[in-house]
Amino acid sequence: MRRFLRDNGLTLGFGTLFLGALIGQAFAGHADMNNKRLSNDLDAVGLGDYLTSSDFAVDVSENWQSEYLQFFLFVMATIWLIQRGSPESKRPSEVGLESDEKQRVGKHTRPDSPAWARAGGWRTALFSTSLGLTMGGLFLLCWLAQFVAGRAAHNGEQLSSFQDPLGAGEYLISADFWNRSLQNWQSEFLAIASMAILSVYLRQRGSPESKPVGAAHTVTEESG
């Protein structure tokens, strides 16, 4: 068990932080909703009702979709785009999909290589882009969840104000939907750009996201 915890510490650590933050958001969001309801002379709702509400669902899903979008774009963009001097970037000479030898596929696989890396054909092609496809698929699923929950929450506000609810097509082009999406997207794009350029000149000893402390600013890809 101790070895399992050590070998999976990064996933387990951030998984624990995720659950803690999600639980905290649930209680904070519940309190915030009830404060707003009471100020409008409405009855408070229970925690269970809040957790199954469109308000909670849209708040969660709009953050999830932006995070998966960040990783999807970062995984795909770093195939072709570089930042000289950043450990987050490939070397300029390695731009593109790289050779089979570099990627250890086909006849270049090793004894411990995944089976689909040596299988060839559609299986190797699919496995070769499985990370990008998965991240992109998770983004689309979360964005769809945001759309469904966001429309329900928005229409709830419309009805409470005695206004007509919006159809799916109307909500898709509404300011509410795109405001929820873009306010998260811009922060993710800023974070990626900041990490790419700051890691050229700044260091964090012992982190694989940083170059070695003594590495030259122009060194690209090397991590410490």
Side-chain angles (χ1 to χ4, degrees), residues 1-8:
M1 176 59 72
R2 183 176 299 176
R3 182 174 180 178
F4 173 81
L5 294 176
R6 182 201 66 187
D7 291 349
N8 297 279

Side-chain angles (χ1 to χ4, degrees), residues 105-106 109 115-126:
V105 299
T109 56
W116 279 33
R118 67 169 61 91
W122 68 269
R123 286 178 293 180
T124 297
L126 179 61

Side-chain angles (χ1 to χ4, degrees), residues 41-211:
D41 297 321
L42 298 172
D43 294 333
V45 299
L47 180 61
D49 291 330
Y50 172 69
L51 293 179
T52 56
S53 70
S54 57
D55 294 89
F56 179 68
V58 71
D59 287 343
V60 171
S61 59
E62 73 179 57
N63 284 283
W64 288 7
Q65 59 89 3
S66 66
E67 297 299 332
Y68 283 119
L69 176 64
Q70 174 191 147
F71 285 110
F72 167 69
L73 291 179
F74 190 67
V75 167
M76 302 306 292
T78 49
I79 298 173
W80 303 101
L81 303 180
I82 66 165
Q83 174 59 59
R84 184 181 291 274
S86 175
E88 303 295 324
S89 168
K90 296 195 295 187
R91 295 181 177 91
S93 61
E94 297 174 349
V95 169
L97 297 177
E98 302 177 355
S99 66
D100 287 354
E101 182 179 5
K102 175 72 174 179
Q103 287 293 311
R104 303 175 191 172
V105 299
K107 65 180 182 180
H108 303 288
T109 56
R110 299 177 178 180
D112 59 352
S113 296
W116 279 33
R118 67 169 61 91
W122 68 269
R123 286 178 293 180
T124 297
L126 179 61
F127 188 61
S128 296
T129 190
S130 56
L131 181 60
L133 288 174
T134 299
M135 288 296 178
L138 288 170
F139 158 66
L140 292 175
L141 287 174
C142 292
W143 201 23
L144 175 62
Q146 177 199 321
F147 171 79
V148 173
R151 180 182 169 224
H154 182 73
N155 282 342
E157 295 177 359
Q158 290 284 99
L159 292 172
S160 66
S161 302
F162 303 102
Q163 300 181 50
D164 293 332
L166 299 182
E170 293 174 308
Y171 184 69
L172 183 61
I173 60 174
S174 71
D176 182 80
F177 176 68
W178 285 103
N179 178 54
R180 287 182 179 275
S181 296
L182 293 171
Q183 70 176 335
N184 285 282
W185 293 0
Q186 53 86 14
S187 64
E188 304 302 337
F189 300 154
L190 175 63
I192 292 176
S194 299
M195 186 62 181
I197 191 63
L198 291 177
S199 62
V200 175
Y201 302 104
L202 305 179
R203 308 288 189 271
Q204 180 57 58
R205 184 169 184 160
S207 174
E209 301 303 314
S210 167
K211 293 186 291 190

